[in-house]
Amino acid sequence: MSDPTKIAIPVPSKDPQAKKKDQADKEEGTSKSVEKKDEEKEGDELSEEDLQLRSELEMLVERLKEPNTDLYRPALESLRTLIRTSTSSMTSVPKPLKFLRPHFPDLQGLYEAWPASENKAQFADILSVLAMTYSDTQPRGTLKYRLLSASLRPANTPQVDPGTWGHEYVRHLAAELGEEFEYREVQDDNTPSESDVPKVELPGTIDDLRSLAKECSTFLLSHNAEPDAVDLLQELEMIEDIVSLVDENTFDRVCQYMTRCVSFLPPPDDITFLQTVHKIYTHFQKFPEAIAIAIRLGDRDLVRDDFHAAGNPVMKRQLAFILARAQIPIEWLQADSADGEEEEEFPQDLLECLSNTRLSSSFREFGKEMGVSEAKSLEDVYKTHLENTRASTSNVDSARGNLAGTFVNAFVNAGFGNDKLMVDVEAGSSWIYKNKEHGMMSAAASLGLSLLWDTEMGLSHIDKYTYSAEEYIKAGCYLAIGISNSSIRTETDAALALLAEHVENKSVPLRTGAIMGLGMAYAGSQREEVMATLLPYIIDEEVSMEICSLAALALGFVFVGSENGEITGTILQVLMEKAERGDTELEGKWARFLALGLGLLYLGQQNGSDATLETLKAIEKPISKTAQVIVEACAFAGTTNVLRVQKMLHECDEHIVLPKEEEKKDNDKEKNGEDKKDGEEKKEEPTKQDDTFQTFAVIAVALISMGEEIGSQMSMRQFNHLMHYGEPNIRKAVPLAIGLVNASNPQLPILETLSKYSHDNDLAVALNAIFAMGLVGAGSNNARLAQMLRQLAGYYHKEADCLFMVRIAQGLVHMGKGTIGVNPFFSDRGIMHKPAVAGLLAVLTAFTDAKGFILDKQHWMLYFLVIAMYPRFMITLDEELKNIPVAVRVGQAVDVVGQAGKPRTISGFQTHTTPVRLGTTERAELATEEFIPYAAVLEGFVILKKNPGWESEDSRMQL
């Protein structure tokens, strides 16, 4: 082995010398050495054609060296023609460039010697092309000569379009433009002395670079290289200019690519990209796409302009369906000045679409079509005969079992309004009375879930229980009123009318029910009336921390992502006052909901939260750290901002417990018995409290990275590490985080991971893992997952808490009998539904201390999931909004952004007739061209119009 290496060492050192000799020979005109070199490179002699081409090129180079200036123009023209017409395969360098490469240094010298003239400008053009072969030794040569050529041309003559030199030249130029721009940016900041000399030579201003970039982009756009054009303009920080460059053939691909880039861009750029895409869509009157971007930006003015820009009333209805799905407040569509006049403008049918009032009837029809309108019993879900449980199940707490049954029945039969335990029963034998005290609250509230979205029937069913003498049943009814009105707007505003008065009630359960009922009924609606009702309870010093926190959470739901200054100021003021007083309530379990209420106001607002974060830093209490993590995580939710994820992971890497224990040991040695007790008390409290922020930091990683595939996969790997090396408070949050990233998206590797965690020694981890399994499979009817949960029911048959959670998970997996999901992203997973994220976060926050909330008396917090629940259907309507059955193909969505041609957007599809059920990662497309959809993404309610140019096969046969 050593011998060949000894031989190999001298070879490279001699090699360049040989090349130099070759070059010298070539300059003398000897042809032998040229042939030798070509033989070395290609392994065969040149053909006659190639020899002729080479001699012709050498003759033209000699012409340029002669003193007779009249020969220059024809020689340059011939050179240009030869270079342009040379065809090259994709793998080899064009012949003229190859033969002219040895002459390049001479030609550079000649160029310097020539006086400025039009000929010199043309010469610079040719050198610019030749410089591509020297890009390794002379960086940015192509761009340098291109700019020199531009500076030498007389003012009235146009610059040669870079596209005439071919695609490779334009790509080369684009790459060098990016490098040069970056280099100049660095130069402006601080001037490094080393590499100044060769690089400063490039002429032209930044504007020259930008105008050249525009020319290159125009060429790239017209040659199916849209991603390259976008990248070039982004590098030169002029992406807004692409609006004027695209045409009706290229705009769609450009917009798709730009939208997909958003997840990978740092903060100011991602917003710029979305705004640019919005401009392009509005320019080409693609209103559904434009309004989707406006919703994503959360820009009130853009949403209003897009909605009113659509002249076609049918298109307006389609836009109204999209806005209703995103729960955009109707007030956004009205001009700020004259509210009264504006409201009259919306006709009844449009208001119906905007208010989501069709949801309940459409959902029940969809259920009939799917064959699941029959109510399911608990046994249908549990399938206890398949569980391999030992006989001794008698010791399981029956009240706990009935409570689990309450939730399972509610989630499984959600929205159908016909379940056997609550709705279709005699007044006396209702399931409510099979629960104890606080269990009655959840049981009564489950009525609202069964009658979900049904505002008319719902109230009459719930009403009869509001007269009950039992306080908990009344409280449950208030919650039920809120649940049944969730994501629906009615003119009567029943929820506000019925619940506002009970917020003042002295009884804690009644007050809780009324506050959270309002929060859930008006989630995302930004209603000032709700703020006026609830805000006083945050600041009132006489109310308990529980009521204060829940009022903040309810306002967080209602004003989610609105940056409402009044609520923010109030919550911060309360936190500061309580911290100054040294209020111990801030260290209690309820404080986290106060922080969450604050965070939800900034959901998706990115840097809008800076001032709040600074204020929180001034509060010297452990809750301050938790609140900072929550606010920052909410602000960057779904942005996959890498720096924020790293920051959150950094929060997780502190091992808080060990040093405290060591200090305690030292104290034990030094101090006596009494002192020791004091010392321990002082040390213990911060230990318990201090690590709460880490639990939220783990959920924060999930919150920031969800909604984008690569980010989600990367976060899964981090969770694996945290599970191995984290403290118990971090480990218990990991399953929750996994559940959040993959809500309603049961993929096998994730189910396997959670199944492993559900057998963890730490019961807190196991409990959260079981709930996460329910969350991941929510509404999917996943058979593999149902089987896993049945095994867990057998495994934990003696653990009441875990068994309770297994039952809840079983209920979630069969949510809405497989027709409802909780994934917070819609419109082809492109738009984050803010109220849904708020609902999921609230449930996960309750699970950060499951023993203190869900397993204690606050099990009704599971109903926060209602805000995230939405049917997973696609219903096709005609222009009169009547259902029409149409053939559609449903398959796994495939990412085709940036691919050439028109590849299939779905794989492994099946053809169904609408209405159809869509999974989280599935996509639908129309099977025939008989209808044209008004919506860009086939999801939810889609209005179709008949294609005038379509002929059925029968009519073609007759012809």
Side-chain angles (χ1 to χ4, degrees), residues 469-497:
E470 184 61 61
E471 199 169 77
Y472 281 109
I473 295 181
K474 274 193 196 169
C477 288
Y478 300 156
L479 209 50
I481 291 169
I483 290 171
S484 63
N485 279 288
S486 166
S487 75
I488 309 287
R489 272 194 76 136
T490 51
E491 286 176 35
T492 51
D493 255 349
L496 192 60

Side-chain angles (χ1 to χ4, degrees), residues 378 382 397-411 421 431 435 800 803-808 811 862:
L378 296 179
Y382 295 163
D397 175 7
S398 66
R400 180 53 71 88
N402 286 354
L403 183 59
T406 303
F407 286 109
V408 172
N409 175 58
F411 282 123
L421 300 185
W431 183 259
N435 287 281
L803 185 60
F804 172 70
M805 206 38 72
V806 171
R807 296 299 182 213
I808 302 274
L862 284 165

Side-chain angles (χ1 to χ4, degrees), residues 628-642:
Q628 283 172 47
V629 170
I630 292 175
V631 171
E632 192 161 357
C634 286
F636 288 89
T639 57
T640 58
N641 186 310
V642 181

